[in-house]
Amino acid sequence: MSTKPKGLLERLEAGETVICAEGYLFEFERRGYLKAGAYVPEVVVEHPELVKAMYREFVHAGSDVVLAFTYYGHREKLRVVGREADLEAMNRTALKLAREVADETGTLMAGNICNTTCYDPDKPDTHDECRQIFKEQIEWAVEEGADFIVGETLGMYGEAMLALECIKQYGKGLPAVVTLVVHRDPDTLTDGRSVVDAVKALEEAGAAVVGFNCCRGPFTTLPLVEKVKGKVKVPIAALPVLYRTDEQYPTMQSLLNHKGSRAFPVDLDAFLCSRTMIAEFGQRCKELGLQYVGLCCGNASHFTRTLAESLGRTPPASKYSPDMSQHFAYGTDKKLYSLNTEKIVKLL
């Protein structure tokens, strides 16, 4: 009989680092199973076998968490694409598959709620709508056996706090990981609350982990982490997108393509980080003592493997990590032909 894996809080209290692979939305869009624009996870009900396979792929690459693919699977997004009837089936299917893979692999399963796209700080009626969205997704996650709940990509303090309140109210005691998305202004959230104050308030309200995900790449996410480090006692999360953002273009939405137009979403490929950059990000996370790390939009399994290895892990996918010693020209193995390693190599 298999031993139940340690829970999120148990791991964090033991000083462990938890890796959580995100990025299902962009990866399924690249593979041709999800439409950019609406970004609704229709693949969950149309090709559930592919979702289960990607769950396994990310665990194989080093993720400690199977994050149920319910991001943008809420009633507001489904209303826009006319699939409200699929709401419960989409959520429960994503959660059931995640639970199955977590049980197979001895990993944790997390439920997922996110930005609703309908929250307006000046319109209380939208707050009620958001509460209903959060409530039903949290309750489904609890019923399907989630180990904790992630509230992610929350750009407004009010919506982030509402998400946390709902996790506390409807989550049956499950821990809450709440990650903010910070747009071009590195100091202030969309509704005017300072980033530092928001993180501190979320901690005070009971979040087990607070931090940042999405929009910003590694190079513009890390300064946010450094800004709040020491301001809170709970673990800090960092889950950037996989794009080379910088001070001038701090978010993936601000990047410009070769013609000077917005690169988001279809021209972002030209801005992908290298694996070496992700390794550097992982090493910096380790130096900062971050305990909850991962990768968001643009992620793929080889990037998750790189992150895991940079943190000292050897996931199953490391069996196939690059080894250039047997490359026909660049290799050093004595079985290789010297013509290639000594002469041809100089022509490459």
Side-chain angles (χ1 to χ4, degrees):
M1 184 176 179
S2 60
T3 304
K4 182 178 175 61
K6 290 189 292 185
L8 175 67
L9 297 182
E10 190 178 358
R11 295 179 189 213
L12 296 175
E13 288 167 1
E16 297 179 22
T17 297
V18 174
I19 299 173
C20 180
E22 297 183 354
Y24 295 97
L25 208 69
F26 274 35
E27 183 66 346
F28 275 120
E29 191 278 330
R30 287 186 295 216
R31 296 185 184 192
Y33 293 98
L34 190 149
K35 184 177 290 189
Y39 283 118
V40 174
E42 297 171 273
V43 63
V44 171
V45 290
E46 294 176 353
H47 298 282
E49 74 284 357
L50 298 182
V51 175
K52 191 170 187 178
M54 193 176 292
Y55 287 159
R56 287 175 172 147
E57 193 174 313
F58 278 140
V59 171
H60 179 74
S63 185
D64 297 312
V65 179
V66 182
L67 180 66
F69 186 25
T70 57
Y71 181 85
Y72 273 0
H74 56 65
R75 64 171 55 250
E76 171 58 21
K77 294 296 288 185
L78 268 64
R79 180 190 67 79
V80 172
V81 299
R83 297 197 68 159
E84 301 101 311
D86 292 324
L87 175 64
E88 185 169 353
M90 186 177 291
N91 278 268
R92 287 195 184 274
T93 298
L95 289 158
K96 286 180 187 293
L97 295 174
R99 185 69 263 169
E100 289 172 9
V101 173
D103 288 342
E104 289 173 8
T105 57
T107 50
L108 300 174
M109 190 275 265
N112 184 293
I113 60 174
C114 67
N115 53 314
T116 62
T117 73
C118 61
Y119 179 88
D120 186 331
D122 299 321
K123 296 182 179 179
D125 59 315
T126 66
H127 305 179
D128 295 336
E129 185 178 353
C130 292
R131 180 176 290 277
Q132 175 59 29
I133 288 172
F134 293 146
K135 177 180 183 294
E136 60 196 2
Q137 286 195 298
I138 292 165
E139 289 179 337
W140 289 327
V142 171
E143 290 169 9
E144 298 300 341
D147 296 303
F148 64 98
I149 307 290
V150 173
E152 60 153 300
T153 320
L154 297 159
M156 288 185 268
Y157 167 74
E159 187 173 27
M161 187 58 74
L162 180 58
L164 176 57
E165 289 173 3
C166 287
I167 296 172
K168 304 295 284 185
Q169 183 173 356
Y170 306 112
K172 303 290 186 181
L174 294 182
V177 174
V178 182
T179 52
L180 303 170
V181 60
V182 179
H183 298 288
R184 297 196 192 197
D185 183 345
D187 299 314
T188 312
L189 296 178
T190 308
D191 54 356
R193 188 70 174 242
S194 83
V195 170
V196 172
D197 286 348
V199 169
K200 290 167 64 176
L202 289 167
E203 177 191 36
E204 291 170 4
V209 177
V210 296
F212 309 99
N213 83 298
C214 207
C215 281
R216 290 173 168 253
F219 308 125
T220 53
T221 295
L222 284 171
L224 299 178
V225 173
E226 292 164 354
K227 183 186 303 184
V228 302
K229 185 172 172 58
K231 303 291 195 304
V232 293
K233 295 179 181 179
V234 296
I236 298 171
L239 302 97
V241 299
L242 272 288
Y243 304 105
R244 300 189 311 275
T245 55
D246 56 30
E247 287 188 16
Q248 184 177 6
Y249 304 104
T251 67
M252 64 180 175
Q253 291 89 346
S254 64
L255 293 167
L256 302 178
N257 69 9
H258 62 295
K259 292 185 176 182
S261 300
R262 186 183 65 230
F264 178 86
V266 297
D267 287 336
L268 285 175
D269 293 2
F271 296 93
L272 267 173
C273 290
S274 69
R275 299 189 210 184
T276 300
M277 293 173 182
I278 298 307
E280 291 172 356
F281 165 72
Q283 290 160 8
R284 183 58 181 150
C285 287
K286 190 173 183 178
E287 291 169 0
L288 289 169
L290 303 190
Q291 287 188 262
Y292 192 98
V293 299
L295 300 168
C296 195
C297 299
N299 188 24
S301 56
H302 62 292
F303 289 124
T304 293
R305 178 182 66 186
T306 297
L307 177 62
E309 290 176 343
S310 74
L311 296 171
R313 308 281 187 88
T314 308
S318 292
K319 176 181 178 181
Y320 305 103
S321 292
D323 176 6
M324 293 297 287
S325 67
Q326 293 182 325
H327 187 273
F328 86 100
Y330 297 118
T332 56
D333 194 303
K334 295 187 182 301
K335 295 191 293 291
L336 299 172
Y337 284 102
S338 60
L339 172 67
N340 296 321
T341 58
E342 296 175 10
K343 294 183 180 181
I344 300 298
V345 67
K346 297 176 182 178
L347 303 177
L348 296 179

